[in-house]
């Protein structure tokens, strides 16, 4: 999972991994202070994971939430492209939200806002089903 709630704020694993001091704090807080952003999740406690190939959040216990189900559908290629665009648009001054739940109905890969205007970016592969689209 790409994001978590920590100290009542939304954090992205990619941003934590880019800041040495923030990551040090995150490692100390892992497994006790990070929570799933899905308010309906039954087991909201998360841990922060930073490996050589991937940085992410994961449920401590068996998860039962929409966000986790959405996250499992994201391919490694889409995950990497999503992170690259997140960093790029954030660097240009846009407010970028990753894996955003819109109107409590579905998650989208990127929601980008600037000057009151919003647009969403969704990714798909040849394996993306028509129901997801």
């Amino acid at each position: 999972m790409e994001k978590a709630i920590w100290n009542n704020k939304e954090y992205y694993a990619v941003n934590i991994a880019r800041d040495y001091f923030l990551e040090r704090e995150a490692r100390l807080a892992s497994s006790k202070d990070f929570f799933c952003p899905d308010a309906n999740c039954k087991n909201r406690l998360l841990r922060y994971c930073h490996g050589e190939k991937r940085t992410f959040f994961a449920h401590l216990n068996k998860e039962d939430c929409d966000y986790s189900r959405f996250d499992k559908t994201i391919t490694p290629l889409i995950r990497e492209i999503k992170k690259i665009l997140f960093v790029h648009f954030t660097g240009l001054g846009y407010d970028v939200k990753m894996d955003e739940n819109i109107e409590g109905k579905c998650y989208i890969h990127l929601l980008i806002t600037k000057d009151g205007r919003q647009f969403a970016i969704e990714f798909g592969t040849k394996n993306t089903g028509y129901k997801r689209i």
Side-chain angles (χ1 to χ4, degrees):
M1 295 173 28
E2 302 293 340
K3 67 181 175 180
I5 304 299
W6 181 25
N7 296 327
N8 296 318
K9 285 179 59 183
E10 203 170 77
Y11 283 87
Y12 295 97
V14 66
N15 285 347
I16 292 173
R18 295 173 64 202
D19 182 326
Y20 172 80
F21 296 105
L22 184 60
E23 183 175 45
R24 195 170 74 187
E25 284 183 58
R27 287 181 187 267
L28 293 172
S30 187
S31 302
K32 63 181 189 249
D33 293 331
F34 287 106
F35 296 94
C36 181
D38 183 351
N40 296 318
C41 180
K42 305 281 189 259
N43 298 299
R44 293 191 67 195
L45 200 57
L46 302 177
R47 62 187 161 88
Y48 171 72
C49 307
H50 185 161
E52 286 183 32
K53 295 183 179 181
R54 189 168 167 226
T55 302
F56 59 98
F57 295 102
H59 284 90
L60 283 179
N61 299 310
K62 185 179 178 214
E63 75 276 356
D64 182 22
C65 72
D66 290 337
Y67 182 39
S68 182
R69 283 187 284 278
F70 165 76
D71 185 65
K72 287 177 182 173
T73 67
I74 300 172
T75 66
L77 177 62
I78 290 174
R79 194 175 304 282
E80 189 60 30
I81 292 170
K82 185 172 62 164
K83 286 181 184 179
I84 290 168
L85 289 176
F86 176 86
V87 170
H88 174 74
F89 282 112
T90 302
L92 293 175
Y94 289 86
D95 176 31
V96 183
K97 297 200 179 278
M98 200 180 313
D99 300 344
E100 189 66 11
N101 188 329
I102 349 180
E103 299 178 8
K105 295 180 181 176
C106 69
Y107 284 89
I108 58 169
H109 293 122
L110 294 172
L111 180 65
I112 302 172
T113 306
K114 187 163 187 178
D115 300 329
R117 298 180 70 191
Q118 288 187 323
F119 62 96
I121 298 178
E122 276 291 302
F123 302 99
T125 66
K126 64 181 181 179
N127 298 326
T128 304
Y130 73 93
K131 288 184 179 181
R132 172 69 188 134
I133 294 169

